[in-house]
Amino acid sequence: MTHLVNDPKKFAADVLAGFVRAHADRVMAVHGGAVRATETPQGEVALVLGGGSGHYPAFAGWIGEGMAHGAVCGNIFASPSASQAASVARAAHAGGGVLFGFGNYAGDVLQFSRAIEMLAKEGIEARILTVTDDIASSDTHAERRGIAGDLPVFKIAGAAAAQGWSLDDVERVTKHANDRTFTIGVAMSGCTLPGADAPLFEVAEGALAIGLGIHGEPGLSEVPLGSAQDVADDLVDRLLAAFPEDRGSRVAILVNGLGSTTYEEQFVVFARVAERFEAEGFTLVEPEVGEHVTSLDMAGLSVTATLLDDELEQLWRAPVDTPAFRRGSFASTTAAPPRRAALPAQVVAERSTGSEASQAAAATALGLLDDVVGVLKDHEAELGALDAVAGDGDHGQGMVLGVVGAADRGHEAVGAGVGLGTLLREVGEAWAESAGGTSGALWGAALVAAGERLGDTDAPTPGDIAEAVSSAVGAMKEMGKAELGDKTMMDAATPFAETLTEKVSAGEPLEDAWAAALQVASDAADATAELQAKKGRAKTHGDHSVGHADPGAISFVLVCRTFHSKES
Ligand code: ADP
Ligand code: MG
């Protein structure tokens, strides 16, 4: 349980506000997260970490000399938006390019990739590096999700940046560190989102869930809870089995507490882990025991091993000085570091006025959007519960944050006299920005695409509306790359757009065409219950999801149904 909360929806922002106050000499808040409060040497690669909040010290706790230059802070467990990532990167950039580091989750990959495109237009070169250390999540290293391995991988990346390595070299060595990093975790209890009254998953009394996620994703299997030594042995056995043949003889070990497992228990487990690794012929190099990548109040821990070579060992041992992680010392920290100069301003898009007909259409569309706010709020808990079956439980929250942000921006834009096209574009940007997550990125891109198709001149005809829906769904497909049957919102969105186009082309009135499309989409959304998830966070837990419909498909139908009930 998270006991001390103001407004649960503002919890992540409240955390960040307190964090930057507590460490004002080292970090400062910017739109979307925080950056170093000190100057970065010109030309140094900027390491910008990120992901959702709820994992402190990851990621903002690692901002400082020898490690990160900035951290993007999304909502609790939800990936930040592309514009937040771009904003933090802009503020952290010191002329040497940007390396974005984050755990391998679909939403983060989508949003950070979009940020790279945005930054490229401004002449800032940015790349992404996804951490894939969780051996329980896949047999293929590159497809694993990222958990506590974030610490060694980003520590090594930050040291390379601090030593003046080029973007190419920092990227190469970070990737190499990730390839040599392996984690396995266990949970004794799930975590509870701030404001919620039940945990995202529960572990039976006397049981241990193996292969937990750090977003309240349940473990992949349960075994009886043994002694600390039994647990340590089990974890070490799984790690040894996952190592490549050229495992070397030097290793960085991290025992990471998830939030409510005591340090004492972590040390007890570590002692056995160390004994086992030494018996295997390894030398432990600067091991770490403590809370580094947490999952709110989850009880449990993980063991991470990074197999070192000379290059990785040098970087792992190098000094680091951040609010949450320190090692060695920097010669330069005798005087207080200088305050950073003014930060680059946010890029603000221009707003053009629409024709009278398009302004009227924008006002109608805004009314519909306001209705969607009500509908999604009514279904927030239900969508969250559906997402918690195999995902991370945040779909209801994400959709509500997205649509509320979109409607707020929509009212501003309509007040300024925009046409329908500009309204939808702005609303899409605001949705992605406010929601974060996979669905936020996809809904944002969809609305932007629809806006581009409709423009600000003419009142839309039924044919225009059908085409705009096709463009919107096309943008979702292009960004998410999901196929039909992968158990995503595309399973509802694709037949919806197809049916709508077909019926409108055949000359049916929009209202009837919409009703027919809605029926097809609703049946398709219900039918996702039979499918195994193949994309997004839920894919790791593919078989858990059978029997439950896909939350994104269900919410897609809810949104489209709101439009219909209003139109008729
Ligand atoms: P996150 O997965 O980042 O937590 P949400 O919980 O808000 O984001 O959204 C989850 C939904 O996103 C899923 O139910 C699914 O419908 C949709 N989704 C996930 N990955 C994809 C993808 N690659 N393409 C299309 N939709 C996807
Ligand atoms: Mg989710």
Side-chain angles (χ1 to χ4, degrees):
M1 202 54 194
T2 303
H3 297 278
L4 305 175
V5 180
N6 297 319
D7 175 353
K9 290 229 157 18
K10 300 210 175 83
F11 188 72
D14 291 349
V15 170
L16 185 61
F19 168 73
V20 296
R21 275 197 88 141
H23 298 284
D25 54 335
R26 296 155 178 272
V27 296
M28 62 195 286
V30 292
H31 174 70
V35 295
R36 290 188 193 175
T38 53
E39 289 295 344
T40 299
Q42 192 58 29
E44 187 169 306
V45 171
L47 177 66
V48 176
L49 307 179
S53 298
H55 305 300
Y56 192 85
F59 300 93
W62 298 337
I63 299 173
E65 236 180 317
M67 210 159 165
H69 298 75
V72 196
C73 305
N75 283 313
I76 297 293
F77 294 173
S79 71
S81 71
S83 61
Q84 289 170 330
S87 157
V88 175
R90 224 173 261 132
H93 186 234
V98 174
L99 186 67
F100 282 124
F102 51 89
N104 184 32
Y105 297 95
D108 294 282
V109 173
L110 291 183
Q111 301 277 10
F112 282 97
S113 304
R114 273 257 299 134
I116 287 184
E117 293 167 19
M118 294 161 74
L119 292 165
K121 289 190 193 134
E122 299 163 32
I124 298 177
E125 179 171 13
R127 310 215 183 132
I128 57 180
L129 193 292
T130 52
V131 175
T132 57
D133 58 315
D134 178 11
I135 61 170
S137 58
S138 170
D139 289 335
T140 311
H141 204 307
E143 287 175 8
R144 291 174 180 159
R145 60 189 176 191
I147 51 175
D150 287 345
L151 179 85
V153 174
F154 297 150
K155 159 73 185 79
I156 286 168
Q163 291 174 15
W165 295 26
S166 69
L167 184 57
D168 279 345
D169 287 337
V170 176
E171 183 186 26
R172 178 193 58 73
V173 81
T174 309
K175 206 174 158 316
H176 178 49
N178 178 58
D179 288 344
R180 307 283 290 173
T181 297
F182 306 82
T183 300
I184 177 77
V186 291
M188 282 76 85
S189 80
C191 54
T192 307
L193 290 172
D197 46 22
L200 285 170
F201 70 91
E202 286 180 68
V203 182
E205 194 65 36
L208 190 66
I210 309 259
L212 62 110
I214 55 167
H215 306 94
E217 300 99 328
L220 296 161
S221 59
E222 280 193 10
V223 298
L225 174 59
S227 66
Q229 175 162 328
D230 294 340
V231 171
D233 282 342
D234 185 359
L235 296 180
V236 172
D237 288 341
R238 288 170 196 261
L239 285 173
L240 292 173
F243 286 167
E245 255 165 40
D246 61 335
R247 62 188 205 180
S249 62
R250 299 178 71 78
V251 66
I253 294 286
L254 161 67
V255 169
N256 176 64
L258 280 155
S260 59
T261 292
T262 60
Y263 272 67
E264 286 78 0
E265 290 164 280
Q266 296 172 41
F267 283 121
V268 172
V269 168
F270 172 73
R272 177 64 177 175
V273 169
E275 190 177 301
R276 288 286 315 273
F277 269 89
E278 279 165 2
E280 284 283 326
F282 282 102
T283 302
L284 270 59
V285 180
E286 307 244 13
E288 287 292 332
V289 180
E291 292 182 353
H292 295 276
V293 182
T294 60
S295 183
L296 293 172
D297 58 338
M298 199 193 289
L301 51 72
S302 59
V303 180
T304 300
T306 299
L307 303 171
L308 300 171
D309 54 23
D310 290 348
E311 184 183 50
L312 295 177
E313 179 166 342
Q314 182 273 112
L315 296 167
W316 172 243
R317 284 178 177 277
V320 55
D321 185 8
T322 73
F325 186 44
R326 285 174 211 166
R327 169 176 295 172
S329 64
F330 282 94
S332 63
T333 44
T334 42
R339 274 263 153 208
R340 176 184 270 277
L343 290 167
Q346 291 298 313
V347 180
V348 182
E350 272 177 42
R351 227 176 221 160
S352 57
T353 318
S355 72
E356 218 167 282
S358 190
Q359 283 184 353
T364 308
L366 183 59
L368 294 172
L369 191 63
D370 284 335
D371 294 334
V372 177
V373 172
V375 168
L376 289 177
K377 280 187 174 166
D378 288 346
H379 290 84
E380 179 176 354
E382 176 197 320
L383 294 171
L386 211 46
D387 191 27
V389 172
D392 53 356
D394 67 349
H395 186 61
Q397 167 190 284
M399 288 297 283
V400 169
L401 288 169
V403 76
V404 168
D408 286 351
R409 176 81 73 84
H411 281 276
E412 238 177 75
V414 165
V418 301
L420 180 60
T422 300
L423 172 73
L424 292 177
R425 273 206 309 274
E426 286 206 28
V427 153
E429 279 162 17
W431 187 310
E433 161 100 32
S434 319
T438 311
S439 61
L442 295 169
W443 272 100
L447 288 161
V448 169
E452 270 158 14
R453 169 63 192 76
L454 291 170
D456 293 323
T457 317
D458 301 319
T461 63
D464 293 334
I465 290 177
E467 280 184 31
V469 168
S470 289
S471 304
V473 172
M476 286 175 159
K477 184 168 164 51
E478 196 186 319
M479 183 181 253
K481 305 207 165 45
E483 301 291 336
L484 281 182
D486 283 354
K487 191 165 187 155
T488 70
M489 62 171 103
M490 300 315 294
D491 291 327
T494 308
F496 181 84
E498 282 170 6
T499 310
L500 186 69
T501 303
E502 193 185 297
K503 301 278 176 191
V504 167
S505 312
E508 281 193 31
L510 181 60
E511 220 172 275
D512 298 350
W514 198 276
L518 199 50
Q519 189 58 51
V520 172
S522 169
D523 292 345
D526 292 342
T528 59
E530 305 316 314
L531 299 169
Q532 270 214 8
K534 300 221 180 67
K535 275 271 184 307
R537 287 189 203 265
K539 77 170 181 220
T540 316
H541 294 271
D543 44 352
H544 286 242
S545 71
V546 174
H548 299 270
D550 174 64
I554 296 290
S555 63
F556 181 88
V557 172
L558 283 172
V559 172
C560 294
R561 181 168 292 137
T562 315
F563 291 167
H564 180 62
S565 52
K566 261 300 171 296
E567 242 171 278
S568 44

